[in-house]
Amino acid sequence: MRFSSVSLIILFFSIEIYCHSLEFIREDVAFTIQDSFFYVDGIYYICNVSDKPVNNMLYYPFPEDSLYGEVDSVLIYNLIDSIPEEIIKRKTTGFFFNVSLEPFRVGKYRIFYKQKLYGNKAEYILTTVKYWRKPLQIANFQLGTSNNIEIDSLSYKPDSSYVGQNKRKYFWYRSNFMPDRNFIILFDRK
């Protein structure tokens, strides 16, 4: 818990220093629950709204709970420049990476990780959006599971869903989105 609080304070000060220059404007995230793992694969849009280049380190947090194992397979890729990004510093609660943007440009970063699940709960951190002091212009989420996973509860009601022969998918679309809670999934295995 102490590490999580320290990480959020670091995140807050990092954003506070550059909040007049950078805006977190959109995220498109696909979640998958499969074989006792929670997979997160997201594309994050960050905009430099100033007339000066920005080179800033940002913090990407992971959820903590006794039901979650350590995060592994972390990858970050700059989609605009088509290059992998270096993780500057990694902790069990998240990692730091660098964002370099020219004036009035939007950066697109793909971030992927997987986390071991020791119980029937998965979580994605959303509430840190408030540290940017602006809602996301657009947020798209989708959750995919195999048919042997039964969803008991979702912290946000899906806009639509699909049930196929071997899989289920749930979809969310939000605009002007300021989350008041994390994305939490409670489920059972058949």
Side-chain angles (χ1 to χ4, degrees):
M1 184 68 161
R2 182 171 179 260
F3 291 118
S4 179
S5 298
V6 170
S7 298
L8 287 176
I9 290 168
I10 290 169
L11 173 69
F12 175 74
F13 285 122
S14 174
I15 292 169
E16 183 68 24
I17 291 168
Y18 291 94
C19 70
H20 64 281
S21 299
L22 290 178
E23 290 184 6
F24 179 31
I25 58 173
R26 178 178 176 164
E27 65 181 12
D28 300 320
V29 186
F31 310 111
T32 305
I33 298 173
Q34 181 179 2
D35 301 328
S36 299
F37 284 97
F38 183 52
Y39 297 86
V40 175
D41 190 357
I43 298 176
Y44 303 86
Y45 299 76
I46 300 169
C47 182
N48 179 358
V49 295
S50 76
D51 60 356
K52 294 180 175 49
V54 171
N55 186 12
N56 189 24
M57 195 165 37
L58 295 180
Y59 183 73
Y60 186 100
F62 301 133
E64 291 183 282
D65 190 297
S66 61
L67 296 176
Y68 311 146
E70 197 167 321
V71 168
D72 68 15
S73 305
V74 178
L75 302 170
I76 179 166
Y77 197 78
N78 181 326
L79 293 172
I80 299 295
D81 296 332
S82 298
I83 57 170
E85 287 289 336
E86 181 182 351
I87 294 172
I88 307 298
K89 183 174 182 180
R90 170 104 189 256
K91 302 161 67 165
T92 57
T93 58
F95 67 89
F96 291 91
F97 70 102
N98 198 49
V99 171
S100 295
L101 290 172
E102 292 299 315
F104 308 111
R105 297 288 181 188
V106 174
K108 272 173 73 175
Y109 298 88
R110 183 177 182 187
I111 298 174
F112 170 87
Y113 70 86
K114 74 175 185 176
Q115 186 170 34
K116 178 74 173 164
L117 300 177
Y118 294 121
N120 293 337
K121 179 183 175 187
E123 182 174 2
Y124 174 72
I125 295 178
L126 277 173
T127 55
T128 53
V129 170
K130 67 183 171 192
Y131 293 110
W132 291 87
R133 296 188 178 174
K134 284 192 169 188
L136 289 167
Q137 292 174 12
I138 296 173
N140 289 300
F141 305 107
Q142 69 176 29
L143 167 64
T145 67
S146 57
N147 278 338
N148 69 331
I149 301 289
E150 185 72 36
I151 300 297
D152 290 332
S153 173
L154 297 163
S155 59
Y156 291 92
K157 182 180 177 188
D159 297 315
S160 61
S161 61
Y162 164 81
V163 178
Q165 187 174 12
N166 296 316
K167 62 184 175 183
R168 297 171 192 232
K169 285 205 170 196
Y170 304 85
F171 302 92
W172 294 258
Y173 171 81
R174 300 290 187 271
S175 61
N176 199 31
F177 183 50
M178 182 61 83
D180 61 354
R181 59 196 175 277
N182 286 336
F183 194 102
I184 297 174
I185 306 154
L186 301 177
F187 62 93
D188 279 321
R189 292 177 179 89
K190 292 182 185 176

